[in-house]
Amino acid sequence: MGTAALSHAKVRWPDPTPGSKPAASACGLIERDDHLARLDTLLDDCRAFRGGAVVIGGGVAAGKTALLHAFGARAARAGATVLEAFGSPAERDVPLGVLRQWFDRGPGALTDRPDGSSAQPRSHLLQHMCVTLRALSEQAPVVLLLDDVHLADPASLRGMAYLGRRLESARVLLIATELDDPAADPVRDAWQTDLLRQPRCHRMRVGPLSVDGVAEALILSVGTATAREAAPAWRDLTGGNPLLIRALIEDRRSAAGTAPLARPEPGEAFAKAVLTSLHHGGELLVNVARAVAVLPESGPATFLPRLLDADEGHAKPIPARALEALETAGVLRAGRFRHPAARAAVLADFAGPDQAALRRRAAGLLHSAGAPADEVAVHLVAAGHADEPWALDVLRHAAETALARDDGSFALECLRLAGPACPDEDARVEVALTRARVEWRVNPGAALRHVQPLIPALRQGRLPGAHAIALIKLLLWHGLEDEATDGLRGLEEARDHLDARSQIGIDSIYEFIQSNHPPLAARIPARVPGERGGTRP
């Protein structure tokens, strides 16, 4: 909201266009009649020289601002002087920054500036504010609106508590909206305790929409019967968050309403609304959501504190209010994202070094807890990190697991990362051969690039029997007969020193050649399978 001047002219809010609602309040005023009625009663009390204060609390995007706007318009139409201010992260450290939005430009402007290093408002400034407000309220009730009081500077918070104690007999009504903040804030808690213990100060809460409220939000778009039928699914996906509901409606309009209404399809607007909700909720909410996104189904909630804390040995517990706030915001349910689109939006929002660092910690935590290799490897691959001493074995096992479930793409990702992590030639050869085999299944023509660098080692007899046999089979498939026969001769010469499995592998190659390449078989003198000493003519 913009800054209003303190003047004798009434500061009125514009009336909405007949038959429509502002976009920001399309859902925000649904199921808010009781709140407006209570505020109307307090305004009536204010006219009778019984001023007071109201703090409207609620979760992220619950409709607090829409309620504040709506009541401000009603109060202005009823003849009150309505002044507005808002809290901002950029001005949170500016002493009296919020209070000055009400007072700076009026006839009783405050020209004496407080010491910028002090969070304590000077008493004579606050006395001047009280005198100015009383004088103004003699002409008409004064309604002071403050959006996002949780972002107000500490001096303004203490100043509002001071005003609240001294304006009960004046025609002044202070209304502030406050986000449920999961992070402990002693300064905010202190001002609220001081303010709300006054008899004319109240607290009001705005909650998410019910299923009936969601249906009401959908009626204008699809009609009553269809809205009631679809409302449970929309409520389930959004948790009743008005911002997310509006975003789903926008996505449906963008898609020309092709998807069944009872199965809402989140799109770009929904993703942006999720991120808006999280960032408005503050750094803790964003960080917790990111940690939950990184650990979708792998890892219990007990991992979250250690995942968020770089110093895992002294991890601090996450306030239960943080997860509760994400549930209230309609982003999570039972500690997991309500829809994959929300998780995807969160992951996309912090791609880069921050996510890589979080993924590395997740991989370490899961490995220490004995999680399956494929669950750990997901994070190693996402982080592009294989520097841990255990990472190579994890990636190789994860690749084999992926192959078993016919997921060649993930197997290749694991093997690409495993290659540079190999400590010696034997490990590099094994990874390269496995990668060639996997590539052959996914894209046979591309497998050759992994095979060719191994040919010199094959000809020099430096490959273990099992690796050499796998390589010869791949060379034959690619038509590299000279390279294959050179390798096979070397294996034949070393047959007596090979294990039984490798000897069987040599015989299987001969059988394959005899069946598929008889001319090639004649070029390779070989022992008769199963006989020692004799050779095949």
Side-chain angles (χ1 to χ4, degrees):
M1 295 189 295
T3 302
L6 177 59
S7 67
H8 292 284
K10 298 178 176 63
V11 182
R12 296 183 181 272
W13 294 63
D15 291 337
T17 302
S20 67
K21 293 181 179 179
S25 60
C27 299
L29 291 182
I30 295 174
E31 297 184 328
R32 303 298 182 240
D33 289 346
D34 290 344
H35 300 79
L36 289 171
R38 185 178 176 190
L39 292 173
D40 285 341
T41 299
L42 293 174
L43 181 58
D44 290 338
D45 290 345
C46 179
R47 287 194 187 91
F49 292 90
R50 295 193 300 274
V54 183
V55 177
I56 302 174
V60 173
K64 302 179 294 296
T65 298
L67 178 61
L68 195 70
H69 278 231
F71 180 71
R74 290 160 75 106
R77 288 194 296 269
T81 299
V82 179
L83 308 174
E84 61 178 335
F86 62 93
S88 167
E91 298 182 357
R92 200 167 189 175
D93 296 326
V94 179
L96 291 180
V98 165
L99 291 188
R100 288 186 181 281
Q101 292 181 52
W102 287 326
F103 289 95
D104 263 352
R105 295 191 296 269
L110 302 177
T111 56
D112 187 5
R113 297 283 173 177
D115 181 358
S117 64
S118 174
Q120 293 287 353
R122 295 181 178 179
S123 59
H124 72 279
L125 294 178
L126 296 177
Q127 291 170 2
H128 183 34
M129 290 179 182
C130 288
V131 171
T132 303
L133 283 173
R134 283 185 179 276
L136 185 61
S137 68
E138 290 176 359
Q139 303 174 48
V142 176
V143 177
L144 302 174
L145 302 180
L146 171 57
D147 200 15
D148 288 342
V149 67
H150 55 284
L151 298 178
D153 61 280
S156 289
L157 292 177
R158 294 187 178 95
M160 283 186 286
Y162 177 95
L163 294 176
R165 291 193 300 269
R166 287 160 177 79
L167 295 175
E168 290 182 1
S169 61
R171 296 201 298 172
V172 178
L173 178 61
L174 166 63
I175 307 174
T177 65
E178 179 186 53
L179 175 68
D180 292 342
D181 191 350
D185 188 338
V187 173
R188 188 201 66 182
D189 293 344
W191 91 268
Q192 277 209 37
T193 300
D194 196 15
L195 179 67
L196 295 179
R197 69 184 179 184
Q198 306 302 318
R200 296 293 307 160
C201 296
H202 312 272
R203 184 166 183 82
M204 184 182 298
R205 180 166 182 78
V206 175
L209 300 184
S210 67
V211 172
D212 289 341
V214 174
E216 186 177 345
L218 295 175
I219 283 174
L220 290 178
S221 299
V222 299
T224 302
T226 306
R228 288 177 177 171
E229 179 183 355
W234 284 60
R235 174 62 167 76
D236 185 64
L237 195 155
T238 63
N241 179 328
L243 180 63
L244 298 185
I245 294 168
R246 290 197 300 271
L248 282 180
I249 293 173
E250 181 179 339
D251 283 331
R252 180 172 173 77
R253 288 171 180 162
S254 300
T258 54
L261 188 70
R263 191 171 66 248
E265 295 292 339
E268 182 180 355
F270 180 83
K272 290 180 178 179
V274 168
L275 297 178
T276 297
S277 295
L278 294 177
H279 284 282
H280 187 65
E283 183 179 5
L284 178 60
L285 240 58
V286 171
N287 289 339
V288 172
R290 289 175 174 179
V292 175
V294 164
L295 291 173
E297 299 298 338
S298 57
T302 53
F303 280 179
L304 289 178
R306 297 171 62 192
L307 185 59
L308 289 169
D309 199 324
D311 183 6
E312 295 178 5
H314 302 84
K316 304 176 182 64
I318 296 176
R321 289 189 297 178
L323 291 173
E324 291 173 2
L326 290 170
E327 299 259 352
T328 302
V331 177
L332 299 185
R333 179 179 51 223
R336 303 297 180 193
F337 283 90
R338 288 176 177 265
H339 194 279
R343 177 177 178 253
V346 172
L347 290 176
D349 187 49
F350 79 122
D354 289 343
Q355 185 175 148
L358 202 60
R359 293 282 193 176
R360 290 176 61 176
R361 288 206 295 275
L365 288 170
L366 291 170
H367 180 263
S368 299
D374 54 338
E375 293 186 11
V376 180
V378 166
H379 300 291
L380 293 176
V381 169
H385 171 79
D387 295 341
E388 306 296 342
W390 43 263
L392 178 60
D393 285 341
V394 166
L395 291 167
R396 289 162 64 180
H397 284 111
E400 295 294 338
T401 302
L403 283 176
R405 64 172 183 264
D406 202 27
D407 186 357
S409 296
F410 183 65
L412 281 177
E413 289 181 344
C414 291
L415 294 169
R416 289 190 193 105
L417 187 59
C422 293
D424 51 49
E425 185 178 25
D426 188 58
R428 283 192 293 273
V429 168
E430 184 171 351
V431 169
L433 281 171
T434 306
R435 187 173 175 182
R437 285 165 40 215
V438 177
E439 194 91 64
W440 183 81
R441 294 173 60 173
V442 177
N443 181 9
L448 184 60
R449 62 185 174 183
H450 305 299
V451 169
Q452 287 177 322
L454 303 176
I455 292 175
L458 174 67
R459 282 174 162 162
Q460 296 166 14
R462 291 189 288 108
L463 297 184
H467 294 350
I469 290 168
L471 178 56
I472 290 169
K473 291 179 178 178
L474 287 169
L475 291 173
L476 288 171
W477 191 92
H478 283 284
L480 300 177
E481 295 181 354
D482 291 342
E483 291 83 352
T485 53
D486 288 346
L488 194 53
R489 287 192 184 97
L491 282 179
E492 187 61 49
E493 292 174 0
R495 176 188 281 265
D496 290 339
H497 301 288
L498 298 177
D499 60 87
R501 184 172 181 179
S502 296
Q503 293 181 16
I504 294 172
I506 296 173
D507 294 338
S508 70
I509 293 176
Y510 283 129
E511 293 172 358
F512 173 80
I513 292 175
Q514 284 180 337
S515 300
N516 297 276
H517 300 280
L520 180 60
R523 295 166 50 190
I524 309 173
R527 296 184 182 184
V528 176
E531 295 184 7
R532 300 182 62 83
T535 60
R536 183 181 290 106

